[in-house]
C-alpha cells in the first residue's frame, strides 16, 4: 500500500504561504511536501516569497514543470504559447492552468493517495480546485468545514441519514446526541433541475450540524470515509479532526508578518492621483503578471509600477486575430491617458464605499476579485 502524501501548493500568494506556515507551526508531525508550479512569468515578489518560505520552513519547495518544457529553450509559458499557435489563454480557454499547473501537479502526485491542503479562508465562499483523480483529496484547514464539497455531498446524501446517525452515536451521547440527531434526521429538499437550490439546502443543513459541534462532525466524516476509497480511508487518525480554527484575511496577513516571511510586495498599496484626488492601488493576486483575470486598475498598476512587464504583456497581443488580454480592449488602448483616467476614477469611486481604508494592503478591492479566476493559481 502506498504511503499517503501530504502536499501544499505554494502559489506565491498570501493564503497558500500562510497555510504552509500555519501547518508547519501547529502540526509539525504532518510530513508535508511543498511545491510550486513556475510559469516563468511571475513577479519578482513571488520568487522572494518562495525564498523566504524555504528559510522559515527549513524545507525545499519543489519546482514542478510540465515534462514537455524540460527540453524546451523557452520558459514554460512561452513554450505552450507557441504550441497553442499564439492563442492567449482566457477564462474560456485556460490552457495556462491546465498545462502549467494541473498537469505538473497530477504528474508529481501520480497514483499515490494524496492529501492536498488548500488555503481557502473562513471568510470566502468558494470551493477551490478539486482534482478529478480519485487518489487526491482536498482539505481546507482555514475553514469551519475542512471537507471538500464532494465529500459533504456523500455524507449528507439523504439516503445516508441513518448511517450518519449511527456514526454520531460513537462520538457523542445524551442531550448532545439528541440535539444533533434532530438535524441529521431532517432530510433536505432536493431539486433535480435546480442544482443551486439543492446545494443551498444541503449547505444550510451542514451549517446547522456544525453548530452542534465541529469536532464530532469531523470524526463522523472520518469514520464515513473509512467506507470509501478516499486517501484518508487509509489513515488510522488525522490530526485536523480536532481543529476548530477559522482564519480570515486579517489572520493571514498577521501570520505572514509575525513569522518574518513577510507579505508579498505587490499587495502593498501605491498612491495615484486622479482629478486632484488621491487613490491607492495594488495587485490583488499572485500568478502571471499578465493574468487575464486582473481588473483594469491592476493593468494600470502594472503599467505604472512595472512598465517593462507591461510592454512584455503587450507583445503577446494580436489585435488582428482578436487575441487580447482584455475582451474588446487592447493594452495599447487601455493606457491611453483618458482611458487610464477613467479607470482610476471608477476605482476611486468604488473604494470610497469600502470600510477598510486604514489598511496598508489591498483589502478594499480584494472582496470583488479574489474569488475570481482559477483557484489552482490563486490558492
Amino acid at each position: 500500500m502506498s504511503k499517503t502524501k501530504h502536499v501544499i501548493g505554494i502559489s506565491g500568494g498570501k493564503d497558500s504561504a500562510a497555510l504552509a506556515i500555519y501547518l508547519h507551526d501547529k502540526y509539525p508531525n504532518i510530513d508535508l511536501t511543498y511545491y510550486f508550479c513556475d510559469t516563468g512569468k511571475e513577479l519578482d515578489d513571488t520568487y522572494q516569497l518562495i525564498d523566504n518560505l524555504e528559510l522559515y520552513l527549513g524545507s525545499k519547495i519543489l519546482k514542478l514543470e510540465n515534462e514537455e518544457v524540460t527540453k524546451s529553450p523557452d520558459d514554460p509559458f512561452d513554450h505552450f504559447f507557441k504550441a497553442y499557435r499564439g492563442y492567449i489563454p482566457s477564462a474560456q480557454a485556460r490552457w495556462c492552468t491546465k498545462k502549467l499547473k494541473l498537469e505538473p501537479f497530477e504528474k508529481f502526485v501520480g497514483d499515490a493517495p494524496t492529501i492536498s491542503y488548500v488555503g481557502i479562508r473562513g471568510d470566502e465562499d468558494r470551493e477551490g480546485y478539486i482534482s478529478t483523480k480519485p487518489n487526491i483529496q482536498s482539505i481546507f484547514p482555514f475553514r469551519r468545514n475542512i471537507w471538500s464539497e464532494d465529500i459533504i455531498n456523500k455524507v449528507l446524501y439523504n439516503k445516508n441519514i441513518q448511517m450518519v446517525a449511527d456514526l454520531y452515536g460513537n462520538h457523542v451521547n445524551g442531550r448532545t446526541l439528541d440535539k444533533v440527531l434532530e438535524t441529521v434526521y431532517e432530510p433536505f429538499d432536493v431539486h433535480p433541475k435546480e442544482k443551486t437550490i439543492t446545494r443551498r439546502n444541503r449547505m444550510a443543513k451542514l451549517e446547522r450540524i456544525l453548530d452542534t459541534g465541529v469536532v464530532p462532525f469531523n470524526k463522523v466524516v472520518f469514520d464515513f470515509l473509512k467506507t470509501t476509497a478516499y486517501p484518508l480511508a487509509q489513515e488510522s487518525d488525522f490530526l485536523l479532526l480536532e481543529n476548530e480554527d477559522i482564519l480570515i484575511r486579517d489572520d493571514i496577513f498577521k501570520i505572514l508578518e509575525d513569522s518574518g516571511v513577510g507579505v508579498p510586495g505587490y499587495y502593498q498599496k501605491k498612491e495615484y492621483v486622479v482629478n486632484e484626488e488621491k487613490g491607492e492601488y495594488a495587485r490583488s493576486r499572485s500568478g502571471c503578471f499578465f493574468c487575464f483575470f486582473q481588473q483594469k486598475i491592476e493593468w494600470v498598476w502594472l503599467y505604472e509600477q512595472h512598465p517593462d512587464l507591461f510592454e512584455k504583456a503587450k507583445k503577446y497581443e494580436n489585435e488582428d486575430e482578436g487575441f487580447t488580454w482584455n475582451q474588446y480592449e487592447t493594452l495599447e488602448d487601455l493606457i491611453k491617458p483618458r482611458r487610464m483616467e477613467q479607470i482610476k476614477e471608477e476605482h476611486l469611486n468604488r473604494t470610497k464605499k469600502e470600510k477598510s481604508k486604514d489598511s496598508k494592503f489591498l483589502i478594499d478591492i480584494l472582496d470583488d476579485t479574489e474569488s475570481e479566476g482559477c483557484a489552482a493559481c490563486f490558492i
Side-chain angles (χ1 to χ4, degrees):
M1 183 179 296
S2 300
K3 183 177 184 293
T4 303
K5 290 182 178 180
H6 295 258
V7 303
I8 297 180
I10 306 299
S11 68
K14 64 188 185 313
D15 296 334
S16 62
L19 179 61
I21 296 167
Y22 171 84
L23 291 177
H24 172 270
D25 292 351
K26 187 165 184 176
Y27 299 101
N29 292 330
I30 298 179
D31 184 15
L32 287 164
T33 298
Y34 311 95
Y35 70 89
F36 168 59
C37 296
D38 191 0
T39 65
K41 304 299 180 184
E42 311 289 334
L43 291 163
D44 288 342
D45 293 323
T46 295
Y47 300 113
Q48 184 62 58
L49 178 69
I50 298 294
D51 291 342
N52 293 349
L53 267 178
E54 287 185 332
L55 288 174
Y56 185 86
L57 299 171
S59 180
K60 191 72 176 174
I61 297 174
L62 301 179
K63 179 180 176 180
L64 306 185
E65 287 184 343
N66 194 303
E67 287 184 343
E68 297 179 45
V69 177
T70 56
K71 297 180 181 179
S72 172
D74 299 315
D75 64 35
F77 181 88
D78 287 337
H79 171 81
F80 286 107
F81 179 70
K82 292 177 181 178
Y84 280 85
R85 306 191 312 280
Y87 279 83
I88 288 178
S90 66
Q92 293 73 39
R94 304 185 202 181
W95 60 255
C96 52
T97 299
K98 176 184 177 182
K99 291 295 185 180
L100 304 179
K101 304 283 185 175
L102 303 186
E103 287 186 3
F105 169 62
E106 294 187 345
K107 175 68 175 178
F108 161 67
V109 166
D111 295 325
T114 300
I115 308 300
S116 176
Y117 296 86
V118 182
I120 292 178
R121 306 185 311 272
D123 56 351
E124 293 183 284
D125 183 20
R126 63 187 179 101
E127 181 67 357
Y129 163 67
I130 303 297
S131 176
T132 57
K133 295 190 68 174
N135 60 301
I136 300 175
Q137 180 180 349
S138 295
I139 294 291
F140 304 87
F142 289 160
R143 302 190 320 194
R144 187 188 192 197
N145 166 42
I146 66 173
W147 309 102
S148 57
E149 193 162 331
D150 58 322
I151 288 176
I152 293 300
N153 292 350
K154 292 180 174 64
V155 172
L156 297 188
Y157 185 44
N158 282 337
K159 290 186 177 180
N160 288 332
I161 284 177
Q162 189 57 55
M163 178 182 179
V164 171
D166 292 342
L167 291 175
Y168 257 107
N170 297 328
H171 300 290
V172 293
N173 52 43
R175 292 179 180 177
T176 302
L177 180 60
D178 292 339
K179 183 178 180 180
V180 70
L181 289 185
E182 286 180 9
T183 303
V184 169
Y185 279 125
E186 181 183 342
F188 61 86
D189 290 335
V190 175
H191 296 256
K193 295 183 179 181
E194 297 289 346
K195 293 183 178 180
T196 300
I197 296 176
T198 298
R199 179 184 183 277
R200 185 168 63 240
N201 293 341
R202 183 190 301 114
M203 301 312 287
K205 179 174 181 177
L206 170 65
E207 289 303 313
R208 292 195 299 273
I209 291 176
L210 290 173
D211 286 344
T212 67
V214 171
V215 174
F217 178 72
N218 287 344
K219 292 180 178 179
V220 166
V221 174
F222 187 69
D223 288 350
F224 180 93
L225 290 174
K226 295 293 185 182
T227 68
T228 73
Y230 280 96
L232 276 179
Q234 303 187 31
E235 300 292 291
S236 59
D237 194 13
F238 184 49
L239 292 174
L240 269 73
L241 297 182
E242 302 281 346
N243 185 33
E244 295 185 89
D245 292 345
I246 302 174
L247 276 71
I248 62 175
R249 184 181 292 122
D250 288 346
D251 299 316
I252 301 309
F253 283 117
K254 189 174 189 304
I255 287 173
L256 293 173
E257 291 176 321
D258 290 351
S259 67
V261 169
V263 179
Y266 52 75
Y267 288 122
Q268 300 282 354
K269 290 181 177 180
K270 301 290 184 180
E271 188 177 278
Y272 64 79
V273 178
V274 60
N275 297 332
E276 299 183 350
E277 286 192 83
K278 292 181 180 179
E280 293 176 314
Y281 60 7
R283 185 176 167 89
S284 69
R285 63 184 76 244
S286 59
C288 301
F289 61 81
F290 45 56
C291 178
F292 48 83
F293 279 117
Q294 291 180 119
Q295 286 193 334
K296 298 296 177 68
I297 191 65
E298 294 179 84
W299 282 108
V300 173
W301 173 88
L302 185 68
Y303 173 68
E304 295 184 337
Q305 302 299 321
H306 298 278
D308 55 327
L309 298 181
F310 189 90
E311 287 301 315
K312 289 180 179 179
K314 276 174 57 178
K315 291 179 180 179
Y316 290 101
E317 293 193 323
N318 184 336
E319 187 176 7
D320 292 339
E321 295 284 348
F323 301 157
T324 57
W325 294 114
N326 295 287
Q327 195 173 19
Y328 310 126
E329 184 172 37
T330 66
L331 293 184
E332 186 63 41
D333 288 337
L334 186 145
I335 59 172
K336 289 178 178 178
R338 181 63 192 110
R339 178 61 176 135
M340 284 204 297
E341 185 179 83
Q342 180 185 32
I343 291 170
K344 288 178 178 178
E345 288 172 348
E346 292 171 353
H347 176 257
L348 183 59
N349 289 334
R350 182 152 53 92
T351 56
K352 283 179 180 178
K353 300 176 183 178
E354 302 299 332
K355 298 178 181 179
S356 51
K357 299 187 181 80
D358 57 341
S359 172
K360 62 183 177 179
F361 301 114
L362 186 65
I363 304 297
D364 46 11
I365 68 169
L366 279 175
D367 284 333
D368 295 330
T369 63
E370 254 186 337
S371 61
E372 298 173 6
C374 179
C377 291
F378 307 132
I379 57 176

